[in-house]
Amino acid sequence: MNKKVVFKTYSQDQLSLLPPSYDDLVPKNHPVRIVNTIVDRLDISALERSYKGGGTSSYHPRMLLKVTIYAYLRNIYSSRKIEQALQENIHFMWLSGQSKPDHNTINDFRGKRLKGTFQNIFNQVVILLAEQGVLSLKELFVDGTKIEANANRYTFVWGKSNKTSKERIKKQLKELWKYVESVYDQEQMLPNEPDFEAIDPEKVAQTIDTINQALKDKEIDKKVKQKLNYAKKNWPQNLQKYNEQEKILGTRNSYSKTDPDATFMRMKDDYMQNGQLKPGYNLQASTNNQFIVNYSLAQTTADTTTLKDHLQKHIASYGEAPQTLTADAGYGSEENYVDLEEKEVTAYVKYNYFHKEQRDKKHRENPFHPDNLFYNQETDTYYCPMGQAMNKIESYESETKNGFKQTIHKYQAQNCLGCPLRGSCHKAKGNRTIERNHNLIRLKEKARDLLLSEEGIAHRKRRCWDVEAVFGNIKQNMGFKRFMLRGMDKATTEIGLIAMAHNLRKFSVA
C-alpha cells in the first residue's frame, strides 16, 4: 500500500503579521556578531576626523569599517563583490543596517580613508585580545613572506639595466671623440676634450654639440653622422628618464611600472614550484599564539634589513619592547643582534651556519677554520695549528647598505714558508691572513647559548607552528595571494585588514 506524500507548506505570497527581523536570522555566535561587537568598542575618532564637513551626507565610517573587515573575514576582497554582498547577503545587510554603499565608496574608504588611521584601529583590537588572554605582547615570533603586488608582471625597470645603458652612452661618446681626433691633422688644434664622466642630460647634450662643432667643416663618415643625429635626439631625454627611474629605485634593484612601490621578488608559488620573479612586497609579521600582533611591508627581498623597523613599529604601537623575540637565520646579523641587545630583548635568533655547526662534525673539528683557532684575548693574538702567533696587522670599518658600521680586524701569520701543514691550512701565496669581527663573534656566542638552552629549543619549536601557520592560513585558507590595491600605503592598509580578519576569525572559533 502506497503512503501519501506530505509536503511542507510553500507559499511565496504568504503575509506575516509582523515584519521579519534580520537579527532573528543571524545566529548568536556567528562571526559577524563578533566583528560588530568589537568594532563598536573601538575609538575611531581619528578616522572620523578625516571627513570634511559640507556637501551631502556620508556613510558612517563605523558601518563601512565593519563591512570591510567582515568582507575580508569572508575572503571577499573585490569592492564590486562587497557591493553585491550588501544587496544579497543577510549577514552584510544586518551589519550595514541595510545601507548599500556602492563599490566606489567602498574602494575609496579602504584605499584613502583608512590610510594612516587603520594601524591604530588594529592595535586597539590586539590590545582587546590581549586583555581577553588569548595572546601575549611579551613573546613574539617573527617571519616574512612575499605577496604579489597588483601590478603587471611584464612591465618593469631594472637598476642594472639603467647602469648598463649609461655606461654604453659614455663609451659611445668616447668613441665619437676618438673619431674627432682621427680626422684632425697633427697641425690642427683640437677643441678641449669634454668631460665624459658627467653622464647627465645637460652635460651629454653639451658634449654632443662640442663634437658636432668640431666636425662642422670636416668630411665625416655617414654612419658617424647618423649616430650623432640619433645621439642628439635621444640620449639627453633617455638620461633624463634613467635619472627619474633611479630616484624611484632608491636602493632597490627593480620596480614595476604599474606599481612603482613594488619590487620584483622571487616567488615559489606556481604548480611546478619554480622560482618566478614577480612584483611584490615582503610581508613581515609578529605573532603570538597564531594571532598577528604586528605587521609591516618592506620593499627589500631579504628579511635581514627589515627587523629593526618592524620591531620599532611594535614599540611605537604598544609602548614597550617585547621580552623575547624568536626568528630564523634570515634575521641573524650583527646589526639586528646589537639592536635587540640595546632594547634588552632576549633574542632567540639563529645566524647563518647555526645548524651546520650543530650537525657538521667536520666543521666543528676542523683545526684550520678561523672559528677553531686559539685566541689570546689579553695579547689580541691568534695561534695557528702549528702554534705560530698571528698578530693583528690592520683594523678597518665596513658599512652595510643600511649604514651600520662594522669593525674588522686582520691577523697574519709571521712565516708560513716550509710549514708542513700549509697545504691543509691555506692556499694563499704569502703568509696566512684572517679577518675577524670580534663583536659579531661575541653576539653569535650569546645567541648560540640562548638557542641551545631549554627555553631556546622550546621557542624554536614553537616558531614553526606559530608564525608559519599564519602565512599558510592567509595564502591558502583565505586565498589572499595578490593585493587588490596599489602603492605601499594602500597595500599596508590592505594587509592590515587581512591581519585583522585573520585575528577575528581565529578568535571567533577559539
Side-chain angles (χ1 to χ4, degrees):
M1 180 178 178
N2 293 331
K3 293 182 180 181
K4 183 179 179 182
V5 179
V6 180
F7 295 104
K8 294 184 183 295
T9 303
Y10 170 66
S11 175
Q12 289 180 291
D13 300 324
Q14 178 67 46
L15 299 177
S16 299
L17 180 62
L18 296 173
S21 170
Y22 286 125
D23 190 68
D24 296 335
L25 302 176
V26 179
K28 295 299 180 185
N29 296 323
H30 197 276
V32 72
R33 291 189 181 273
I34 293 175
V35 172
N36 184 64
T37 302
I38 288 181
V39 176
D40 276 339
R41 295 176 61 182
L42 301 179
D43 176 13
I44 62 166
S45 56
L47 177 59
E48 291 173 346
R49 285 195 296 271
S50 68
Y51 288 81
K52 296 179 181 179
T56 187
S57 59
S58 302
Y59 287 104
H60 201 286
R62 196 177 296 274
M63 180 275 293
L64 289 170
L65 181 61
K66 290 178 182 179
V67 167
T68 306
I69 292 173
Y70 183 65
Y72 274 73
L73 190 146
R74 285 302 182 197
N75 302 356
I76 303 174
Y77 310 124
S78 164
S79 58
R80 292 183 182 275
K81 290 185 177 180
I82 297 174
E83 177 187 5
Q84 184 180 3
L86 286 165
Q87 298 173 5
E88 300 176 353
N89 190 301
I90 291 174
H91 300 148
F92 278 89
M93 293 178 183
W94 174 80
L95 193 62
S96 67
Q98 299 186 58
S99 296
K100 294 180 175 60
D102 62 15
H103 65 274
N104 286 324
T105 303
I106 295 166
N107 212 35
D108 182 75
F109 175 76
R110 68 176 176 179
K112 297 178 182 178
R113 298 292 183 186
L114 289 181
K115 185 173 66 174
T117 61
F118 186 78
Q119 182 67 57
N120 178 260
I121 293 170
F122 176 84
N123 296 341
Q124 290 182 60
V125 174
V126 171
I127 292 170
L128 286 173
L129 295 177
E131 290 172 352
Q132 293 288 324
V134 298
L135 63 86
S136 170
L137 296 174
K138 302 298 184 183
E139 293 184 340
L140 297 187
F141 300 87
V142 179
D143 205 354
T145 189
K146 298 175 181 66
I147 298 180
E148 187 178 351
N150 181 10
N152 192 313
R153 300 172 185 175
Y154 308 106
T155 55
F156 43 77
V157 173
W158 296 102
K160 190 175 180 181
S161 176
N162 276 5
K163 186 177 179 181
T164 302
S165 298
K166 293 175 87 170
E167 289 295 326
R168 184 172 60 249
I169 290 174
K170 183 196 295 187
K171 181 182 176 182
Q172 291 180 353
L173 279 173
K174 288 182 178 180
E175 289 174 352
L176 288 169
W177 185 253
K178 283 184 180 178
Y179 179 81
V180 172
E181 293 176 334
S182 69
V183 299
Y184 267 70
D185 298 331
Q186 291 183 355
E187 297 177 358
Q188 291 178 304
M189 182 176 292
L190 273 167
N192 293 330
E193 184 174 331
D195 180 10
F196 296 110
E197 298 303 319
I199 300 298
D200 62 69
E202 292 182 6
K203 292 289 185 182
V204 167
Q206 290 175 8
T207 301
I208 294 169
D209 289 340
T210 301
I211 294 172
N212 276 323
Q213 191 66 30
L215 297 174
K216 186 177 181 181
D217 299 324
K218 304 288 183 182
E219 270 192 38
I220 61 174
D221 185 88
K222 186 178 180 181
K223 290 183 178 180
V224 173
K225 192 172 183 179
Q226 288 176 345
K227 180 174 280 190
L228 280 168
N229 290 335
Y230 177 86
K232 186 174 183 178
K233 183 179 179 181
N234 295 284
W235 286 358
Q237 65 184 38
N238 285 350
L239 286 169
Q240 181 66 32
K241 180 182 70 173
Y242 298 150
N243 290 342
E244 291 172 359
Q245 290 174 346
E246 285 174 355
K247 287 180 182 178
I248 297 173
L249 281 166
T251 58
R252 295 181 292 163
N253 295 322
S254 63
Y255 73 82
S256 170
K257 289 183 179 179
T258 47
D259 183 359
D261 289 342
T263 306
F264 275 79
M265 304 178 179
R266 193 166 295 283
M267 302 183 187
K268 296 181 179 179
D269 60 356
D270 67 327
Y271 65 96
M272 290 293 289
Q273 292 298 296
N274 295 324
Q276 295 186 353
L277 283 172
K278 296 178 183 177
Y281 295 96
N282 189 353
L283 167 62
Q284 298 294 305
S286 301
T287 67
N288 182 276
N289 199 23
Q290 295 184 357
F291 286 90
I292 299 175
V293 174
N294 183 31
Y295 63 88
S296 61
L297 287 185
Q299 296 172 295
T300 56
T301 56
D303 293 333
T304 313
T305 57
T306 64
L307 186 61
K308 281 182 68 176
D309 291 340
H310 182 73
L311 182 57
Q312 191 58 45
K313 185 180 178 184
H314 175 96
I315 296 170
S317 297
Y318 305 111
E320 60 180 354
Q323 292 178 354
T324 68
L325 186 146
T326 308
D328 63 12
Y331 300 88
S333 69
E334 182 182 2
E335 183 177 3
N336 289 339
Y337 285 136
V338 169
D339 185 62
L340 290 164
E341 191 174 58
E342 289 175 350
K343 291 181 171 61
E344 298 181 349
V345 179
T346 303
Y348 300 103
V349 180
K350 299 175 189 175
Y351 51 85
N352 286 340
Y353 305 113
F354 169 75
H355 287 295
K356 186 175 182 179
E357 286 180 358
Q358 310 308 311
R359 297 172 183 171
D360 192 346
K361 188 176 179 181
K362 290 182 179 180
H363 175 83
R364 294 196 307 270
E365 297 181 356
N366 181 3
F368 305 105
H369 195 281
D371 290 344
N372 298 328
L373 297 179
F374 177 76
Y375 175 64
N376 188 326
Q377 192 170 357
E378 293 181 1
T379 61
D380 193 13
T381 307
Y382 278 89
Y383 290 88
C384 75
M386 285 296 290
Q388 182 181 171
M390 302 179 70
N391 299 319
K392 184 164 69 176
I393 58 172
E394 182 187 358
S395 295
Y396 66 93
E397 281 192 345
S398 66
E399 192 170 304
T400 66
K401 289 183 178 180
N402 282 4
F404 180 77
K405 293 182 178 179
Q406 300 174 309
T407 303
I408 311 297
H409 306 281
K410 293 179 73 173
Y411 298 83
Q412 188 176 59
Q414 297 176 7
N415 185 15
C416 294
L417 187 64
C419 177
L421 300 179
R422 177 167 181 165
S424 302
C425 184
H426 71 105
K427 297 181 180 179
K429 290 183 178 180
N431 297 328
R432 184 180 182 185
T433 303
I434 60 173
E435 293 188 347
R436 307 298 284 160
N437 183 337
H438 291 302
N439 189 46
L440 180 58
I441 292 170
R442 177 187 67 82
L443 292 167
K444 281 185 175 181
E445 289 176 354
K446 180 180 178 181
R448 187 186 304 114
D449 292 340
L450 286 170
L451 291 165
L452 296 177
S453 65
E454 289 186 15
E455 295 84 359
I457 294 171
H459 277 79
R460 283 158 51 198
K461 288 180 178 178
R462 182 176 169 184
R463 188 197 68 82
C464 298
W465 60 260
D466 202 301
V467 63
E468 291 181 10
V470 170
F471 293 147
N473 179 62
I474 289 173
K475 290 187 175 182
Q476 300 303 322
N477 298 336
M478 299 179 70
F480 189 82
K481 299 179 181 180
R482 192 170 190 258
F483 285 98
M484 299 293 294
L485 306 179
R486 292 180 177 178
M488 188 70 167
D489 292 337
K490 291 182 179 181
T492 301
T493 301
E494 186 168 24
I495 203 62
L497 288 166
I498 287 290
M500 175 88 82
H502 166 85
N503 287 349
L504 294 184
R505 175 183 286 180
K506 183 170 175 60
F507 180 67
S508 67
V509 298

